[in-house]
Amino acid sequence: FFTQVNRVKRHLEPLAIAANATQSNCARLDVVLVTLVILYHKFCDSTLDPSICDAARKSLEKRWKKADQDIFLLAVILNPYLRVSCFSERSPYRNFSNVWRLCQKVFLWLYATEPNLEFRSTLQEYVSEIGGWSALDMGLDQYTEQAKREDQNVNLIHIWWNMDQIRIGLHDMRSLTNNGRSGFIRLAIHILSIVPNSAATERLFSQFGIIHSKLRNRLSVEKVRKQALVRSDTITRHGFLRGAKRKFIEIDEDDAPPQNSNSRTSIACSTAT
C-alpha cells in the first residue's frame, strides 16, 4: 500500500509544486517558463511510469506550442539573475544576433517602432554583463539580502526601475515613445509586469464573499471595496492573520488559587439568602 502511495506522490508532487509557483502573487512569465522546463525534465525520469511521463510531456509541448513563445523567452532573458545562463550551450539564444532579433521583434510588436542602435548596444552590454549591467553594478546581491530580511521575493521591477536614469513613471510608460537605453528598460518593465494568472483576482473575490456575507448583506459596495483593500494590504504586509487555538489545561488542586475566609463567608451568606 505505502509503495503505491509513494509512487503516486512522486508523480503528483512536481505538479503540485508547479501549481503553487505559477499561481502565486509574485509569478511572472519567466517563472512560468522555468517551471515548465523543470516539469519537462522531471517527467523525463526513467524511474517513473513511462505512460504518465509521455502524457505529461505531450501536454507540456501542446501548451508551449500555443503560447507566445517570444514573450516568455524574452522574459527569461530580461531577468537579471538569469539572462542567457539558463540556456544550453547549443541553444540559439547563446548567440547575441538571435537575442537581438527576438528583442527587436517583441519591441516592434509592442510599440510599433524599430529599436535604434543605442537600444542594440544597451542590449548587448546587458547580455555580456558589462557597461554598468553586471550583477555588482545592478546591486543584485543587495536586493537578494533585503528580500531575505523582509521574507519576500525579489522585486525585479524595482531593479529595472532604479536602473533608469530618467525615472520614467509606470503610469506614463504607454504614452512615451523613447528608444535607446530608456526604451530597453521600459521594455523590461513591461514584460516583467505581465501577470500570468488570475489567482490574485480570485482571492479578491473570496475576500468579497467573506466581507459581504449573509449576516452583513447591507454593506455598500464602497465599504466592501475599502475593507477588501485594507485586508489585502494587511495580508501583504504581515501575512495571513491566523488566530491561535485556545488550549484548556487541567489545574491540580495544589495549583488552584487559595480562597480567603471573606470570600467563603460571602458565598455562604449568599447561599443562605
Side-chain angles (χ1 to χ4, degrees):
F1 172 76
F2 290 103
T3 303
Q4 295 296 328
V5 171
N6 186 36
R7 176 175 174 272
V8 173
K9 174 180 175 294
R10 292 187 60 195
H11 288 83
L12 294 182
E13 187 176 20
L15 298 175
I17 296 175
N20 291 333
T22 55
Q23 292 296 318
S24 64
N25 290 333
C26 57
R28 301 180 305 271
L29 296 182
D30 57 306
V31 175
V32 175
L33 180 54
V34 172
T35 304
L36 293 179
V37 173
I38 293 175
L39 272 181
Y40 192 89
H41 284 285
K42 285 287 185 180
F43 286 103
C44 290
D45 190 353
S46 59
T47 60
L48 299 179
D49 191 325
S51 60
I52 297 178
C53 292
D54 291 339
R57 290 197 301 267
K58 288 180 181 179
S59 178
L60 292 173
E61 292 173 356
K62 180 180 179 181
R63 298 297 184 273
W64 177 240
K65 288 181 180 179
K66 294 182 178 180
D68 293 327
Q69 300 180 9
D70 296 336
I71 300 292
F72 281 91
L73 292 171
L74 188 58
V76 173
I77 296 174
L78 293 177
N79 185 333
Y81 290 92
L82 299 177
R83 308 195 196 200
V84 296
S85 61
C86 58
F87 297 103
S88 65
E89 295 294 336
R90 296 175 295 177
S91 173
Y93 296 104
R94 283 285 188 168
N95 189 349
F96 174 74
S97 60
N98 294 322
V99 176
W100 163 245
R101 294 191 193 96
L102 175 66
C103 197
Q104 185 182 25
K105 179 181 178 182
V106 175
F107 190 87
L108 179 62
W109 178 53
L110 291 177
Y111 306 115
T113 183
E114 287 282 350
N116 56 18
L117 293 178
E118 182 186 357
F119 186 101
R120 179 188 173 94
S121 61
T122 304
L123 175 63
Q124 189 169 12
E125 291 176 355
Y126 168 77
V127 173
S128 303
E129 300 188 28
I130 59 176
W133 294 102
S134 65
L136 180 62
D137 293 329
M138 296 184 72
L140 300 184
D141 293 338
Q142 287 80 359
Y143 283 107
T144 303
E145 293 176 359
Q146 181 181 358
K148 288 182 179 179
R149 289 195 302 267
E150 297 176 355
D151 194 19
Q152 295 180 355
N153 296 297
V154 178
N155 193 331
L156 299 184
I157 305 299
H158 288 172
I159 297 177
W160 283 99
W161 172 269
N162 292 329
M163 291 299 297
D164 193 3
Q165 298 175 351
I166 305 179
R167 304 289 182 181
I168 302 173
L170 292 177
H171 58 283
D172 298 331
M173 289 176 60
R174 292 186 178 181
S175 61
L176 296 175
T177 58
N178 61 324
N179 212 317
R181 175 188 171 92
S182 295
F184 175 66
I185 295 175
R186 179 181 64 164
L187 176 64
I189 295 176
H190 195 154
I191 297 297
L192 296 175
S193 298
I194 298 176
V195 181
N197 58 50
S198 59
T201 305
E202 294 173 0
R203 293 189 185 99
L204 186 59
F205 284 144
S206 299
Q207 292 182 19
F208 284 156
I210 295 173
I211 296 171
H212 194 277
S213 61
K214 293 181 179 180
L215 299 178
R216 306 178 66 193
N217 56 6
R218 300 186 67 179
L219 289 173
S220 63
V221 176
E222 186 64 20
K223 287 185 178 180
V224 173
R225 187 186 71 85
K226 290 181 179 180
Q227 291 188 32
L229 289 176
V230 172
R231 182 181 176 87
S232 299
D233 184 70
T234 303
I235 293 175
T236 302
R237 292 174 180 268
H238 308 288
F240 288 94
L241 302 178
R242 304 183 184 276
K245 295 183 178 180
R246 298 176 60 186
K247 296 182 179 180
F248 298 93
I249 58 176
E250 296 182 359
I251 301 177
D252 297 335
E253 294 181 357
D254 298 336
D255 298 333
Q259 294 182 349
N260 53 29
S261 58
N262 294 331
S263 61
R264 293 177 181 175
T265 305
S266 60
I267 294 175
C269 293
S270 61
T271 305
T273 56

